Amino acid sequence: EDKVVQSPLSLVVHEGDTVTLNCSYEVTNFRSLLWYKQEKKAPTFLFMLTSSGIEKKSGRLSSILDKKELFSILNITATQTGDSAVYLCAAANAGGTSYGKLTFGQGTILTVHP
Amino acid sequence: DADVTQTPRNRITKTGKRIMLECSQTKGHDRMYWYRQDPGLGLQLIYYSFDVKDINKGEISDGYSVSRQAQAKFSLSLESAIPNQTALYFCATSDPRLAGIQFFGPGTRLTVL
């Protein structure tokens, strides 16, 4: 059974702090690892990672994948209150009729205080 | 702007009632998905469809059924709603040419009393 586990489940920081969110996965026919941000609405896409060791970066957010150790991290530097959200990690399947299926982790609830 | 829409956005119903949640998209994507979200459990896949003639069960399909009426429309039905189906329901679409990234609708909050 495919499984994705995120840690921590919740995190409270102050503006300006740097945070690291973790995601480990066990997925047969692994294709890629995706990160989403969910505020009080639909999840919105942040990153997709397919290759180990290559950092994806967007502003203060960055992410990297380790396919040997089966994990990914999402870093947010100089956090702002607008970063408060649930961050979801998902692993995509590459195999046959399951191609493109996503298995989601539980999410990390990030709260950034002023 | 191309979008994924869901109706209704909120619904309160009683145990035993039949409920239909609807999803429409203007993205032109062939693949559509239904998820439910419960606190602390992330998103769980209910059903997915790769084209109009293709319907597949996800992880938690019991108690649910779906209909893919057209490329742009994918409906989720609860034949006889029960309280533990109270959750936030999301529809999503994807296009494998876009590396299979899924795009989500705004969600339907369903409460079964």
Side-chain angles (χ1 to χ4, degrees):
Chain A
E1 182 182 333
D2 295 346
K3 190 175 179 182
V4 176
V5 176
Q6 293 185 243
S7 65
L9 295 182
S10 66
L11 192 54
V12 179
V13 300
H14 287 93
E15 275 192 320
D17 288 349
T18 294
V19 298
T20 297
L21 309 183
N22 303 293
C23 174
S24 63
Y25 63 91
E26 295 177 29
V27 174
T28 55
N29 296 314
F30 174 80
R31 179 175 184 271
S32 57
L33 193 290
L34 293 86
W35 286 96
Y36 286 84
K37 178 182 181 182
Q38 184 180 22
E39 297 171 270
K40 292 184 188 292
K41 48 187 178 179
T44 53
F45 172 74
L46 292 175
F47 296 112
M48 186 178 72
L49 303 138
T50 55
S51 301
S52 273
I54 299 175
E55 185 183 56
K56 291 273 182 99
K57 196 170 173 67
S58 176
R60 296 176 293 103
L61 278 66
S62 63
S63 184
I64 197 161
L65 175 67
D66 185 327
K67 291 171 74 173
K68 182 180 177 184
E69 300 297 330
L70 308 183
F71 78 91
S72 174
I73 60 172
L74 175 68
N75 281 317
I76 308 175
T77 59
T79 51
Q80 302 171 358
T81 55
D83 295 325
S84 294
V86 177
Y87 289 84
L88 296 165
C89 162
N93 197 299
T97 57
S98 294
Y99 179 83
K101 273 183 59 183
L102 297 182
T103 301
F104 281 86
Q106 322 94 300
T108 294
I109 303 170
L110 174 65
T111 303
V112 182
H113 288 309
Chain B
D1 191 19
D3 214 346
V4 183
T5 57
Q6 293 182 234
T7 57
R9 295 293 310 278
N10 289 282
R11 182 73 186 266
I12 300 173
T13 190
K14 294 183 178 179
T15 297
K17 294 292 188 181
R18 184 177 188 274
I19 297 296
M20 180 179 284
L21 308 183
E22 299 188 346
C23 177
S24 295
Q25 53 113 347
T26 57
K27 289 185 171 293
H29 292 170
D30 287 329
R31 298 181 175 191
M32 298 185 75
Y33 310 79
W34 275 105
Y35 292 91
R36 69 176 275 173
Q37 186 175 36
D38 298 278
L41 291 180
L43 291 164
Q44 296 174 280
L45 183 62
I46 307 172
Y47 271 95
Y48 61 104
S49 169
F50 283 176
D51 64 43
V52 175
K53 297 179 182 179
D54 176 78
I55 301 288
N56 302 283
K57 291 183 177 181
E59 306 158 353
I60 55 163
S61 59
D62 287 349
Y64 301 94
S65 62
V66 291
S67 172
R68 185 81 185 265
Q69 301 95 323
Q71 186 208 37
K73 295 184 182 297
F74 193 35
S75 300
L76 176 72
S77 293
L78 288 68
E79 296 301 326
S80 179
I82 57 177
N84 77 359
Q85 291 177 313
T86 293
L88 188 55
Y89 290 84
F90 287 104
C91 173
T93 72
S94 73
D95 181 342
R97 295 171 299 176
L98 300 175
I101 297 166
Q102 293 185 15
F103 299 88
F104 288 82
T108 294
R109 186 168 295 281
L110 177 67
T111 302
V112 184
L113 301 175

